[in-house]
């Protein structure tokens, strides 16, 4: 039986995700920035929270975890490398591991850079990817802790997933990301189309996720650091992809769009 997914916005621009394993009734939240909106959503659905899956240690992804754990007796899974910062982690995982939510399996993919221990959760059956602040639609997370080579390697791991993979990222940043991406890659038709679609979706009360990996591979400059055309446009023809990625990340950090 399938894993049912519920997407909501618990606060500000953060996304919330509940994963419900039909066979067992187990239910997971991906990240837990605030306890009450997540608890309320689970109650509305009639789902009992059994698992809290943390992508990285930032408080907008973790601050509600302890309260949810004590209210529901839920198990906290989180990155081994950040367990001390997160607190209360019962199940420590890293790249190559997997976690079960009831009978549903999620593979752990290491995506360091935004934070050093950042992980993503991948449901191979349903092709759902929960990537926190590592990868956004048309962008990627700010590189607070890591360095370009390992962050690019993590993004390459995500890029290697099937094109039909649906991307559920931690924040709604698509339009701001589109402005930067178009400044770098203005003639990219896939990017133009995705930017226009995002504008319509948000103007009509919708959301831009899930993003689809196959389209992101064509449109998101941070997944295209090894594209010869983009390299040339950055003035970095022949450079290593992680150097191009680093230049893109620096340019985005100072972009005033
Ligand atoms: Zn973060
Ligand atoms: Fe965040």
């Amino acid at each position: 039986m399938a894993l049912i997914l519920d997407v909501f916005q618990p606060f500000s621009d953060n996304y919330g995700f509940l994963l419900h394993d039909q066979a067992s009734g187990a239910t997971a939240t991906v990240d837990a920035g605030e306890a009450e909106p997540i608890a309320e959503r689970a109650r509305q659905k009639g789902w009992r929270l059994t698992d809290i899956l943390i992508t990285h240690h930032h408080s907008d992804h973790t601050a509600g975890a302890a309260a949810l754990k004590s209210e529901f007796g839920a198990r906290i899974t989180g990155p081994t490398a950040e367990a001390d910062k997160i607190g209360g982690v019962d199940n420590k995982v890293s790249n190559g591991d997997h976690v079960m939510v009831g009978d549903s399996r999620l593979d752990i993919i290491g995506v360091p850079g935004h934070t050093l221990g950042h992980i993503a959760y991948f449901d191979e059956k349903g092709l759902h990817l929960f990537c926190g602040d590592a990868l956004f639609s048309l962008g990627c997370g700010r590189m607070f802790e890591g360095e370009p080579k390992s962050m690019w390697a993590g993004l390459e791991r995500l890029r290697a997933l099937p094109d039909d993979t649906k991307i559920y990222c931690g924040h709604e940043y698509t339009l701001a990301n589109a402005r930067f991406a178009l400044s770098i890659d203005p003639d990219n038709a896939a990017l133009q189309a995705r930017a226009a679609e995002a504008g319509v979706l948000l103007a009509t009360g919708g959301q831009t996720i899930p993003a689809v990996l196959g389209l992101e591979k064509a449109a998101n400059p941070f997944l295209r650091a090894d594209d010869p055309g983009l390299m040339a446009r950055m003035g970095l023809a022949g450079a290593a992809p992680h150097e191009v990625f680093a230049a893109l990340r620096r340019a985005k950090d100072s972009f005033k769009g």
Side-chain angles (χ1 to χ4, degrees), residues 5 7 10 13 17 21-22 29 41 52 57 59 80 87 93-94 97 99 106 123 130 173 204 241 243:
L5 174 59
V7 179
D13 59 22
F17 309 107
D21 176 56
Q22 281 181 290
T29 175
R41 191 77 178 192
I52 299 162
H57 69 80
S59 65
T80 305
V93 293
S94 45
D97 292 341
V99 59
L106 295 160
D123 162 28
F130 303 94
Y173 291 161
T204 54
E243 291 168 351

Side-chain angles (χ1 to χ4, degrees), residues 56 58 60-61 114-115 118 133 144 171:
H56 68 294
H58 288 158
D60 64 312
H61 299 257
H114 178 68
T115 66
H118 199 309
D133 293 353
F144 284 118
H171 297 273

Side-chain angles (χ1 to χ4, degrees), residues 147-217:
E147 40 78 37
K149 201 167 189 175
S150 59
M151 187 158 183
W152 171 247
L155 293 176
E156 281 191 295
R157 280 194 279 277
L158 299 185
R159 194 175 67 165
L161 297 173
D163 279 355
D164 292 342
T165 298
K166 294 173 282 295
I167 301 169
Y168 299 87
C169 50
H171 297 273
E172 178 57 66
Y173 291 161
T174 308
L175 276 188
N177 288 338
R179 285 192 286 277
F180 171 73
L182 284 166
S183 78
I184 295 290
D185 202 9
D187 301 326
N188 182 328
L191 170 58
Q192 291 166 353
R194 173 64 176 157
E197 176 197 53
V200 171
L201 283 168
L202 292 169
T204 54
Q207 54 203 18
T208 68
I209 63 158
V212 178
L213 182 59
L215 289 173
E216 288 293 317
K217 282 161 64 174

Side-chain angles (χ1 to χ4, degrees), residues 109-111 120 122 129 131 134-135 151-165 167 212-228 230-231 241-242 244-245 248:
I109 303 171
V111 282
F122 179 55
L129 173 70
C131 53
L135 175 68
M151 187 158 183
W152 171 247
L155 293 176
E156 281 191 295
R157 280 194 279 277
L158 299 185
R159 194 175 67 165
L161 297 173
D163 279 355
D164 292 342
T165 298
I167 301 169
V212 178
L213 182 59
L215 289 173
E216 288 293 317
K217 282 161 64 174
N220 185 338
F222 293 96
L223 294 178
R224 295 165 51 75
D226 54 358
D227 177 82
L230 193 75
M231 290 171 127
H242 75 268
V244 180
F245 170 77
L248 282 166

Side-chain angles (χ1 to χ4, degrees), residues 61-139:
H61 299 257
T62 59
L68 289 171
K69 179 177 175 173
S70 65
E71 180 176 352
F72 293 94
R75 173 184 69 161
I76 300 180
T77 294
T80 305
E82 299 183 359
D84 289 350
K85 286 180 178 158
I86 294 163
V89 176
D90 305 293
N91 181 30
K92 298 173 187 170
V93 293
S94 45
N95 184 54
D97 292 341
H98 70 271
V99 59
M100 300 300 294
V101 174
D103 296 335
S104 293
R105 173 189 168 121
L106 295 160
D107 293 314
I108 309 299
I109 303 171
V111 282
H114 178 68
T115 66
L116 273 178
H118 199 309
I119 55 174
Y121 296 85
F122 179 55
D123 162 28
E124 188 176 16
K125 258 189 181 167
L127 295 182
H128 299 118
L129 173 70
F130 303 94
C131 53
D133 293 353
L135 175 68
F136 295 119
S137 181
L138 303 184

Side-chain angles (χ1 to χ4, degrees), residues 8 10-11 32-44 64-65 67-68 71-72:
F8 59 109
F11 59 99
E34 278 185 22
E36 191 41 41
I38 295 167
E40 178 58 27
R41 191 77 178 192
R43 280 193 288 269
Q44 282 171 9
L68 289 171
E71 180 176 352
F72 293 94

